[in-house]
Amino acid sequence: MPGDPFKFINWKATARSVEGKVMVNEYDREGLRNVVFLIDLGPWMRLGYPHENPLEYGASLVLSLTKVLLRYGYNVGLWTIPPSNIYVIPSSGQTQFYRVLNALLRIEYLEKPRYEVADPAC
């Protein structure tokens, strides 16, 4: 195909080709590397000041790790415990960072967490 790198050309296969087509080696990325962050929304996550508590620290840690992992080609996702309507399906790319950021900004404090039902997607 036009645009294939020259270093991927398989010269021996190209020489054996009856039609004279240039043959190129194709490489697949080995294994899918997925990381899913789980954020706890329980009441103990709001202990402390409004801007200094475990939930705020956890959100900034998740955002920092998301940026690093996306740079290395990982698929990154986000779920909450207990399950809520805030989740991000694992994916990669720069727009995934903004999806995780948007989800983290929508997280709210739950007064009484419900833990009797686990999220089947988890």
Side-chain angles (χ1 to χ4, degrees), residues 2-24:
D4 284 338
F6 288 113
K7 66 180 183 177
F8 292 158
I9 294 176
N10 189 333
W11 294 107
K12 290 181 181 180
T14 301
R16 287 191 305 260
S17 174
V18 177
E19 300 169 357
K21 288 186 177 180
V22 177
M23 305 298 277
V24 178

Side-chain angles (χ1 to χ4, degrees), residues 17-75:
S17 174
V18 177
E19 300 169 357
K21 288 186 177 180
V22 177
M23 305 298 277
V24 178
N25 293 330
E26 292 182 6
Y27 298 97
D28 290 331
R29 194 167 99 192
E30 288 186 23
L32 294 174
R33 300 177 296 181
N34 294 321
V35 174
V36 177
F37 292 106
L38 300 172
I39 298 285
D40 190 359
L41 300 180
W44 45 89
M45 294 298 287
R46 287 292 186 175
L47 294 177
Y49 297 109
H51 58 281
E52 288 185 11
N53 56 48
L55 185 60
E56 295 298 324
Y57 288 134
S60 66
L61 178 64
V62 166
L63 202 57
S64 298
L65 288 173
T66 297
K67 188 149 190 95
V68 170
L69 292 171
L70 288 174
R71 189 177 306 146
Y72 286 107
Y74 282 74
N75 294 331

